[in-house]
Amino acid sequence: MGTYLKSGFINSLKSVVSSGRNAVIAEIKPYSPIHGDLMKGRDVEDILQAYFNAGAAAISYITAADFGGSFETLRKICHLSELPVLRKDFIRDAAEIERSAGADVSALLLVARHLKDRTDEMVDLCFEHGIEPVVEVHHPEDLPFARNADVVLINNRDIDRMETDSGDVSVTARIAQRINCFKISGSGIGSIEDLLFVLNYADAALIGTAFMMADDTERFVRAFVEAKR
């Protein structure tokens, strides 16, 4: 995919918004507990190219084994991608932040419900390692742990249920009004109608399963990026 210079994760999202398009984080998700294998024999480079061509603002990849992820694939994606990359996993210690920095990720997901009072410490460690922290919340009880976050991901699905439900985009509507920073809505966004709904409350959207299941990935993703509000 050639030589490139990655821009910052949030700057990339904001740049897309300022251009009049929808800021979409396109996720490479190998496996879904509901739908099973999502790769269908494809190579990550082909998916990355489709996402890039379609105008995605950033890439997300889940390294958690429960979702079929691997750290070596993350390294490959960061090397190949012309877009900033968000690593999603259940990060619990400083060693994983250091490891993420070594893989050249642009941003790292921190789950407030799991880290609780350690969230601020982990946010600071991310910045120290040149990584943009993205703090995930789902319940109102998670919000105090994200009080110092610059970027919050509102997960429309309860992370502790491991995707045994399809997600509820109304979660974004309920939680977003209580957050005063850059907001990303993720999970359960399966249609353009879902996308336009969450973008009434959030600045960007993260979409994985729907994109991975599309017959024509590039065309499908482009429709989300260019959908008019």
Side-chain angles (χ1 to χ4, degrees), residues 21-22 24 50 53-56 191-193 195-196 199 207 211 216-229:
R21 295 171 293 153
N22 301 314
V24 171
N53 292 345
S191 67
I192 289 176
E193 289 74 20
L195 173 72
L196 298 181
L199 290 181
I207 305 172
F211 286 176
D216 185 335
T217 304
E218 183 177 329
R219 181 178 179 182
F220 190 77
V221 176
R222 182 178 290 112
F224 280 68
V225 172
E226 298 180 355
K228 301 299 181 183
R229 286 185 254 177

Side-chain angles (χ1 to χ4, degrees), residues 4-12 57-59 74 77-78 81-87 100-109 126-127 129-134:
Y4 62 93
L5 178 64
K6 290 197 188 89
S7 61
F9 179 74
I10 295 306
N11 282 343
S12 181
I59 300 298
L74 174 71
I77 289 170
C78 290
S81 179
E82 299 187 44
L83 299 169
V85 177
L86 166 70
R87 178 191 178 191
S100 299
D104 199 28
V105 303
S106 299
L108 184 63
L109 188 71
C126 281
F127 282 124
H129 286 82
I131 297 171
E132 295 178 64
V134 177

Side-chain angles (χ1 to χ4, degrees), residues 9-10 97-98 101 105-108 110 119-135 148-151:
F9 179 74
I10 295 306
I97 293 177
E98 294 173 4
V105 303
S106 299
L108 184 63
L110 304 173
T119 303
D120 283 349
E121 170 196 348
M122 297 291 275
V123 163
D124 289 343
L125 281 171
C126 281
F127 282 124
E128 289 174 14
H129 286 82
I131 297 171
E132 295 178 64
V134 177
V135 178
N148 295 322
D150 293 330
V151 184

Side-chain angles (χ1 to χ4, degrees), residues 47-122:
I47 300 172
L48 279 173
Q49 192 67 63
Y51 285 167
F52 179 78
N53 292 345
I59 300 298
S60 171
Y61 179 71
I62 307 177
T63 51
D66 289 326
F67 296 94
S70 78
F71 199 81
E72 287 310 307
T73 301
L74 174 71
R75 287 184 185 277
K76 180 178 181 180
I77 289 170
C78 290
H79 173 71
L80 292 172
S81 179
E82 299 187 44
L83 299 169
V85 177
L86 166 70
R87 178 191 178 191
K88 289 177 62 180
D89 206 327
F90 306 109
I91 304 298
R92 297 183 184 272
D93 55 50
E96 283 301 316
I97 293 177
E98 294 173 4
R99 193 176 181 217
S100 299
D104 199 28
V105 303
S106 299
L108 184 63
L109 188 71
L110 304 173
V111 181
R113 184 187 305 177
H114 294 170
L115 295 172
K116 299 189 184 302
D117 290 329
R118 296 181 56 229
T119 303
D120 283 349
E121 170 196 348
M122 297 291 275

